[in-house]
C-alpha cells in the first residue's frame, strides 16, 4: 500500500495486437513489376526489388500498432550481391571445368561457413528495427563454428541420436545471442521438446512410407494406365500421398518448435510472446500454397507469402511491459551486406523464427 | 508548398514514441505534439523513403529520429513516387504478367545458349584438357574397373579404331581409346572433353560380331568432342545458374524450383540436339571411311533388342542401358535416319 509498491511489484504486462496487414493484390503488383525491372536491367534492379519487397512485408507486420522497418539500402545489397556473385561464379566455374578443385572449395567452405552465418544473421537483424530501435546478433566465429559444425557432427556420428540435441543447441545459440537494443533474449527452450518433436516426425514418416507403398500397390493392382491411356502412377502418388505427407512432416517440426520457442523465450522485463500455431491448418496452408504456385507457374508466390505471414501473425501473441519506453539503440556503424548475400547464394538459410 | 501529416514520431536512439503532426512549409519542417513544437528542422536535414504502395510515408531525420505517417495512402511531395507509380500501374502489372515468362523463356532458350556457344570459343584448349584429365581420373577412381576381356579382343578394337582415325586424318594421340569394365555404365561408350574415349566390356560383348557398329558408336562419341558439346553444356548450365541467381536475387524456395525445372527442360532439349549433331558427324565419317551407314543402324538395333527384351520382363530394375537412352533421341528415329543416309 505504500508508494514504493509500484516499483517493487512485478512488472505489469499488457497484451498487445500482433497483426499483418499486407494485401495480396497490392503486393503482387510490387513483386511482378520488380521482377520485370530486374530482368530488363539484367539483374541490377534486383537489389532495389529486394528492398522494396522487404519494406512492404516489414511495414505491414505490426506489434501494438507499430510496424517493423527494413533498413538496408539497395546499394548496400547490390555491393553484397556483386561480391557474392564473384565468389559464387568462381566457385561454379572452377568446379565445373576443374572438377578436382571441389575438394579445396569444400575445405574453404567449412572455414567460411560460420563466418557467413554470423555475418548473415547480424545483417538480417541489424537491418530490422522496431520503434526505431534495431535488433542485433552477438554471436562470434568460434561459438558459431562449435554450434553449427561440431554439434551437428556429433549428431551425425551418433547415428543421428544426438541430432535433436544439436538442433536445440543451434536454436538456443541463435536466440540467446539476439538482442533488441541493449536487451538480450532469454530463452528456456528444452531438449526434451526437440526429441519428442523429432520422434513424432519419424513416426509420421514411417506411416508415410507405408502409405506410399500401399498406394503404389493399390494403383498397380487397379492399373490406372488403362483408364488414362498413359502411366500416371508416379505423378498421382506424388500429389495425393507424398506431397501432403512431406508437408505434414515439415509442418509438425515447424509448428511445434516455433510454438515452443515463442512460449519459452522473452526479452526480460520488456516483452513476452506466445505462439499457438496448429499443425493441420498450417499443413493445409502450405499444401494450398504449393499447389497454387505450381498451377500458376509461380505467379501465386506473393499470395502465398502474404497468407503465410497473416497466419503467423494471427498465431502470435505478445505482451509488453507497459513501461517499455526505455530501450536504447546501441548501434551506429555501417554494415556490409556481403555475408548475408553470400549466405543466400550458397543456399544457407538460417532463421530460428 | 504546405503539407500536414498526422502520425507517430520516434525519438532518436530509443524506442520512445509520441503521436505527432508533421508540418512541411517550404524548406522548414516542424513536428507538433499537443500544440507544442517538439522538433524543428529543414528539408536538407531529412530523408523521405521512396514510396511503396500501401506502406505509410517514413521520414528519417539527421539525428536518427523518425516519423511514420498514420494514413497509408498520403504522400509527401518531398519523396519520390516514381517506382510506386510503376508498381501501381495496372497496365504495367498486366504487361509484366505476360512479359516476365516470355523474357525468361527467351533468355533461357535463345540468349543463354548463344552466349554459352560464343564464350566456349574463347576458352583455352587447356581447359578442355584439364577437364578431361580430371574427369578421367575421377572416373577411374570410382566407377571404372579394369577390363576383363581378353587382351587380344581389346587390342583388336584399339587397332581398328586407330586405323579409322588415320584414314579420317584425325589425331591418334587425342582420341585414345580405353577399354573398361563398369557396372554403373553398363553397355556404353563415352568421350571426355580432351578426346579420351572409353568403351565398356559389355558394349564390346554386345557388338562382338559387328566391328563397324562399334566404330559408328565411337565416331558418335568423338562427334561430341569435335563440336565441344560437353564444354558448351557446362558453360550453359553455368550461365543459367548465374543468370537466374542474378535476376531472382530474392526468389526463394519454390520459385527457384520452377525456374530451375524450366532450365532443366531446356537443357534436355539442348542435349537431344547435341545427340543429333553427333549422329550426323558419325554418319558423315562412316561414309568417308566407305562403311555403310547401316552400321550405325545396326548398333542402334542391338540397343533396341536389349530394350525390348528388358521391357518384356518389365518391373525389373531399369538397366543402365535405358539410362543411356533417355537422354538420347528416340532410337527408332535414329535408325530411320541412318537408313535414309545410306540411300
Amino acid at each position: 500500500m505504500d508508494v514504493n509498491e509500484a516499483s517493487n511489484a512485478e512488472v505489469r504486462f499488457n497484451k498487445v495486437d500482433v497483426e499483418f496487414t499486407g494485401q495480396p493484390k497490392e503486393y503482387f503488383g510490387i513483386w511482378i513489376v520488380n521482377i520485370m525491372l530486374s530482368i530488363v536491367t539484367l539483374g541490377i534492379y534486383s537489389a532495389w526489388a529486394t528492398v522494396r519487397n522487404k519494406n512492404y512485408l516489414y511495414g505491414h507486420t505490426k506489434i501494438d500498432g507499430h510496424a517493423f522497418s527494413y533498413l538496408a539500402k539497395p546499394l548496400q545489397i547490390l555491393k553484397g550481391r556483386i561480391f557474392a556473385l564473384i565468389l559464387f561464379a568462381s566457385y561454379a566455374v572452377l568446379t565445373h571445368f576443374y572438377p578436382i578443385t571441389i575438394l579445396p572449395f569444400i575445405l574453404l567452405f567449412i572455414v567460411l561457413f560460420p563466418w557467413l552465418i554470423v555475418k548473415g544473421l547480424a545483417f538480417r537483424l541489424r537491418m530490422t528495427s522496431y520503434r526505431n530501435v534495431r535488433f542485433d546478433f552477438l554471436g562470434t566465429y568460434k561459438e558459431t563454428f562449435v554450434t553449427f559444425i561440431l554439434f551437428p557432427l556429433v549428431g551425425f556420428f551418433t547415428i543421428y541420436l544426438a541430432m535433436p540435441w544439436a538442433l536445440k543447441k543451434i536454436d538456443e545459440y541463435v536466440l540467446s545471442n539476439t538482442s533488441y537494443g541493449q536487451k538480450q533474449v532469454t530463452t528456456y527452450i528444452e531438449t526434451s521438446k526437440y526429441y519428442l518433436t523429432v520422434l513424432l516426425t519419424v513416426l509420421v514418416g514411417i506411416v508415410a512410407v507405408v502409405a506410399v507403398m500401399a498406394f503404389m500397390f493399390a494403383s498397380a493392382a487397379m492399373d490406372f494406365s488403362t483408364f488414362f491411356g498413359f502411366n500416371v502412377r508416379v505423378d498421382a502418388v506424388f500429389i495425393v500421398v507424398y506431397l501432403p505427407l512431406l508437408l505434414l512432416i515439415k509442418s509438425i517440426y515447424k509448428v511445434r518448435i516455433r510454438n515452443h520457442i515463442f512460449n519459452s523465450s522473452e526479452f526480460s522485463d520488456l516483452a513476452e510472446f506466445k505462439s499457438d500455431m496448429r499443425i493441420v491448418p498450417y499443413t493445409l496452408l502450405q499444401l494450398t500454397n504449393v499447389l497454387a504456385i505450381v498451377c500458376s507457374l509461380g505467379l501465386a508466390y506473393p499470395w502465398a507469402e502474404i497468407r503465410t505471414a497473416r497466419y503467423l501473425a494471427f498465431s502470435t501473441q505478445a505482451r509488453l511491459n507497459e513501461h517499455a519506453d526505455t530501450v536504447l539503440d546501441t548501434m551506429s556503424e555501417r554494415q556490409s551486406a556481403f555475408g548475408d548475400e553470400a549466405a543466400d547464394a550458397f543456399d544457407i538459410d538460417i532463421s530460428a523464427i | 508548398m504546405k503539407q500536414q501529416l498526422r502520425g507517430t514520431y520516434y525519438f532518436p536512439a530509443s524506442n520512445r514514441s509520441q503521436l505527432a503532426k508533421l508540418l512541411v512549409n517550404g524548406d522548414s519542417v516542424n513536428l507538433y505534439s499537443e500544440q507544442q513544437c517538439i522538433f524543428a528542422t529543414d528539408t536538407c536535414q531529412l530523408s523521405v523513403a521512396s514510396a511503396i504502395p500501401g506502406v505509410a510515408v517514413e521520414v528519417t531525420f539527421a539525428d536518427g529520429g523518425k516519423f511514420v505517417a498514420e494514413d497509408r495512402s498520403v504522400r509527401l511531395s518531398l519523396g519520390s513516387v516514381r517506382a510506386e507509380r510503376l508498381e501501381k500501374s495496372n497496365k504495367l502489372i498486366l504487361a509484366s504478367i505476360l512479359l516476365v515468362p516470355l523474357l525468361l523463356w527467351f533468355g533461357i532458350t535463345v540468349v543463354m545458349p548463344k552466349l554459352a556457344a560464343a564464350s566456349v570459343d574463347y576458352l583455352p584448349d587447356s581447359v578442355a584438357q584439364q577437364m578431361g584429365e580430371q574427369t578421367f581420373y575421377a572416373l577411374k577412381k570410382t566407377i571404372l574397373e579394369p577390363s576383363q576381356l581378353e587382351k587380344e579382343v581389346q587390342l583388336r578394337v584399339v587397332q581398328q579404331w586407330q586405323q579409322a582415325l588415320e584414314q579420317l586424318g584425325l589425331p591418334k594421340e587425342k582420341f585414345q581409346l580405353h577399354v573398361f569394365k563398369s557396372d554403373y555404365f553398363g553397355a556404353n561408350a563415352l568421350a571426355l572433353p580432351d578426346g579420351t574415349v572409353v568403351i565398356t566390356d559389355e558394349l564390346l560383348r554386345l557388338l562382338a560380331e559387328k566391328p563397324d557398329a562399334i566404330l559408328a558408336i565411337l565416331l558418335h562419341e568423338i562427334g561430341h568432342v569435335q563440336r565441344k558439346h560437353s564444354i558448351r553444356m557446362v558453360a550453359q548450365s553455368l550461365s543459367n545458374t548465374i543468370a537466374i541467381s542474378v535476376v531472382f536475387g530474392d526468389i526463394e524456395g519454390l520459385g527457384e524450383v520452377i525456374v530451375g525445372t524450366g532450365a532443366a527442360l531446356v537443357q534436355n532439349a539442348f542435349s537431344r540436339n547435341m545427340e543429333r549433331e553427333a549422329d550426323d558427324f558419325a554418319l558423315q565419317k562412316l561414309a568417308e571411311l566407305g562403311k555403310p551407314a547401316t552400321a550405325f543402324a545396326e548398333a542402334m538395333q542391338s540397343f533396341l533388342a536389349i530394350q525390348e527384351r528388358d521391357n518384356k520382363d518389365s518391373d525389373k530394375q531399369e538397366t543402365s542401358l535405358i539410362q543411356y537412352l533417355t537422354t538420347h533421341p528416340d532410337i527408332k528415329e535414329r535408325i530411320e535416319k541412318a537408313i535414309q543416309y545410306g540411300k
Side-chain angles (χ1 to χ4, degrees):
Chain A
M1 305 303 137
D2 68 45
V3 200
N4 280 335
E5 197 184 275
S7 52
N8 290 339
E10 272 188 35
V11 196
R12 278 192 48 168
F13 285 90
N14 291 336
K15 193 171 174 296
V16 295
D17 287 336
V18 178
E19 50 181 345
F20 180 79
T21 52
Q23 298 297 322
K25 189 172 175 279
E26 213 166 41
Y27 183 55
F28 178 80
I30 301 173
W31 182 80
I32 191 87
V33 169
N34 280 320
I35 287 187
M36 163 84 166
L37 292 174
S38 299
I39 295 176
V40 172
T41 56
L42 303 177
I44 293 169
Y45 194 79
S46 70
W48 277 260
T50 302
V51 169
R52 297 182 68 81
N53 288 346
K54 283 246 165 74
N55 263 323
Y56 185 86
L57 297 173
Y58 278 50
H60 280 285
T61 310
K62 291 172 191 160
I63 299 180
D64 197 18
H66 299 279
F68 283 84
S69 304
Y70 183 66
L71 305 174
K73 298 280 169 268
L75 279 176
Q76 238 175 334
I77 302 260
L78 186 65
K79 271 185 221 156
R81 215 160 259 187
I82 291 170
F83 276 125
L85 184 71
I86 292 171
L87 194 71
F88 179 69
S90 51
Y91 159 79
V93 169
L94 278 172
T95 53
H96 268 84
F97 287 122
Y98 301 104
I100 287 184
T101 54
I102 196 131
L103 289 174
F105 259 110
I106 289 173
L107 284 179
L108 184 72
F109 191 65
I110 291 174
V111 175
L112 274 180
F113 183 71
W115 178 81
L116 286 173
I117 288 182
V118 175
K119 288 287 169 192
L121 277 172
F123 183 77
R124 245 170 249 191
L125 284 167
R126 281 175 199 177
M127 291 304 132
T128 305
S129 84
Y130 173 68
R131 291 177 69 162
N132 211 16
V133 170
R134 270 177 290 176
F135 291 82
D136 197 3
F137 181 69
L138 308 167
T140 60
Y141 178 89
K142 215 171 101 188
E143 289 168 296
T144 310
F145 186 87
V146 172
T147 318
F148 278 84
I149 292 182
L150 293 189
F151 288 169
L153 275 181
V154 172
F156 181 75
F157 284 118
T158 52
I159 45 166
Y160 289 92
L161 284 178
M163 206 47 114
W165 165 82
L167 291 171
K168 182 247 179 183
K169 283 307 237 188
I170 289 175
D171 284 351
E172 190 177 56
Y173 170 70
V174 172
L175 284 166
S176 57
N177 281 297
T178 297
S179 74
Y180 172 65
Q182 86 275 33
K183 288 271 183 191
Q184 225 163 315
V185 173
T186 320
T187 182
Y188 313 101
I189 55 173
E190 289 162 13
T191 314
S192 60
K193 287 273 183 195
Y194 282 76
Y195 271 95
L196 274 176
T197 303
V198 170
L199 191 66
L200 196 61
T201 58
V202 169
L203 287 178
V204 174
I206 292 170
V207 173
V209 171
V210 172
V212 169
M213 303 263 273
F215 194 90
M216 292 280 250
F217 278 119
S219 59
M222 286 188 288
D223 201 356
F224 279 130
S225 47
T226 48
F227 293 122
F228 297 99
F230 59 95
N231 197 348
V232 288
R233 228 158 66 194
V234 179
D235 302 333
V237 168
F238 183 74
I239 292 176
V240 179
V241 185
Y242 184 70
L243 183 66
L245 283 171
L246 190 74
L247 288 173
L248 176 66
I249 290 170
K250 281 177 83 176
S251 301
I252 290 174
Y253 188 83
K254 164 91 182 175
V255 166
R256 286 182 55 99
I257 296 301
R258 185 193 192 253
N259 285 349
H260 180 56
I261 285 177
F262 271 65
N263 298 344
S264 19
S265 307
E266 61 179 26
F267 290 102
S268 31
D269 296 340
L270 176 69
E272 296 173 355
F273 305 96
K274 205 165 124 30
S275 165
D276 53 4
M277 286 173 74
R278 283 163 51 223
I279 292 169
V280 174
Y282 186 68
T283 309
L284 289 176
L285 179 91
Q286 294 296 315
L287 185 63
T288 42
N289 277 351
V290 171
L291 293 178
I293 290 174
V294 171
C295 296
S296 66
L297 300 175
L299 288 178
Y301 188 76
W303 175 74
E305 250 186 306
I306 299 270
R307 291 175 80 210
T308 309
R310 249 187 222 161
Y311 181 74
L312 291 180
F314 169 77
S315 313
T316 311
Q317 288 92 46
R319 300 198 313 139
L320 296 185
N321 180 351
E322 54 181 14
H323 304 292
D325 279 7
T326 47
V327 184
L328 299 177
D329 194 345
T330 44
M331 274 176 295
S332 54
E333 84 275 27
R334 277 175 181 277
Q335 188 68 32
S336 131
F338 176 54
D340 190 48
E341 286 300 326
D344 261 2
F346 287 96
D347 265 339
I348 309 168
D349 195 12
I350 1 95
S351 54
I353 304 164
Chain B
M1 180 76 183
K2 255 190 188 177
Q3 250 185 321
Q4 196 179 346
L5 284 187
R6 280 143 63 84
T8 311
Y9 173 64
Y10 295 91
F11 289 84
S14 98
N15 71 342
R16 210 147 69 85
S17 67
Q18 203 165 24
L19 289 179
K21 222 184 268 178
L22 181 82
L23 203 78
V24 184
N25 192 355
D27 278 347
S28 77
V29 176
N30 291 292
L31 270 169
Y32 290 93
S33 177
E34 287 153 8
Q35 309 300 324
Q36 269 189 320
C37 179
I38 52 169
F39 189 69
T41 183
D42 59 72
T43 47
C44 325
Q45 299 286 310
L46 55 80
S47 71
V48 184
S50 165
I52 293 169
V55 179
V57 168
E58 218 179 276
V59 183
T60 312
F61 303 105
D63 66 351
K66 197 161 87 172
F67 174 84
V68 179
E70 187 185 271
D71 188 339
R72 289 198 270 129
S73 55
V74 289
R75 295 291 175 249
L76 275 177
S77 49
L78 293 170
S80 158
V81 290
R82 249 182 313 162
E84 183 185 31
R85 218 173 282 151
L86 296 178
E87 287 159 355
K88 283 177 96 167
S89 147
N90 282 331
K91 273 184 210 157
L92 189 62
I93 292 174
L94 211 65
S96 304
I97 295 177
L98 295 172
L99 277 172
V100 165
L102 273 177
L103 284 173
L104 282 179
W105 179 250
F106 181 72
I108 294 175
T109 55
V110 180
V111 180
M112 282 301 152
K114 282 245 165 75
L115 269 178
S119 63
V120 163
D121 292 336
Y122 292 100
L123 277 177
D125 283 343
S126 65
V127 170
Q129 200 62 37
Q130 280 287 322
M131 225 175 124
E133 276 169 24
Q134 293 186 0
T135 315
F136 193 38
Y137 176 80
L139 285 177
K140 276 196 288 192
K141 287 269 166 210
T142 51
I143 46 185
L144 294 181
E145 294 155 52
S147 169
Q148 288 175 350
L149 293 177
E150 293 139 46
K151 277 272 167 322
E152 299 150 43
V153 181
Q154 292 184 40
L155 210 62
R156 206 186 314 136
V157 179
V158 174
Q159 270 168 358
Q160 189 203 7
W161 176 237
Q162 285 181 340
Q163 214 178 348
L165 286 176
E166 211 163 304
Q167 274 180 311
L168 291 168
L170 292 168
K172 269 195 281 187
E173 318 74 51
K174 186 172 178 185
F175 299 109
Q176 274 186 25
L177 179 64
H178 303 264
V179 185
F180 281 97
K181 175 183 182 299
S182 171
D183 295 331
Y184 178 85
F185 284 128
N188 217 330
L190 56 131
L192 301 173
D194 62 338
T196 306
V197 188
V198 174
I199 189 164
T200 63
D201 286 6
E202 271 185 64
L203 186 62
L204 282 182
R205 254 185 239 125
L206 182 67
L207 301 174
E209 310 297 318
K210 297 163 184 157
D212 287 351
I214 294 176
L215 198 59
I217 290 179
L218 293 178
L219 283 170
H220 168 92
E221 293 307 328
I222 69 163
H224 286 308
V225 180
Q226 289 296 68
R227 301 267 190 281
K228 295 189 177 179
H229 282 164
S230 49
I231 297 187
R232 249 161 71 188
M233 197 95 130
V234 168
Q236 193 179 342
S237 86
L238 203 72
S239 46
N240 275 342
T241 313
I242 292 172
I244 288 165
S245 67
V246 166
V247 172
F248 292 98
D250 64 331
I251 258 210
E252 280 146 24
L254 270 158
E256 223 166 57
V257 173
I258 288 171
V259 178
T261 318
L265 287 176
V266 174
Q267 197 83 40
N268 267 346
F270 187 55
S271 86
R272 275 193 300 274
N273 279 338
M274 288 181 170
E275 293 307 327
R276 287 199 189 95
E277 272 185 52
D279 280 356
D280 291 345
F281 178 87
L283 290 171
Q284 189 197 329
K285 294 294 163 192
L286 276 177
E288 277 177 39
L289 284 172
K291 305 269 182 198
T294 44
F296 191 78
E298 251 176 87
M300 291 295 123
Q301 236 132 23
S302 316
F303 277 136
L304 201 61
I306 288 202
Q307 194 184 14
E308 270 160 9
R309 192 191 68 201
D310 284 344
N311 277 354
K312 266 184 197 146
D313 27 69
S314 64
D315 277 357
K316 253 192 176 180
Q317 262 199 326
E318 269 185 70
T319 58
S320 43
L321 178 63
I322 308 278
Q323 246 176 9
Y324 169 85
L325 294 171
T326 44
T327 51
H328 286 59
D330 186 44
I331 213 161
K332 279 182 182 151
E333 181 194 321
R334 294 169 76 185
I335 295 174
E336 296 274 299
K337 197 166 150 195
I339 293 170
Q340 285 291 321
Y341 199 93
K343 288 173 186 167

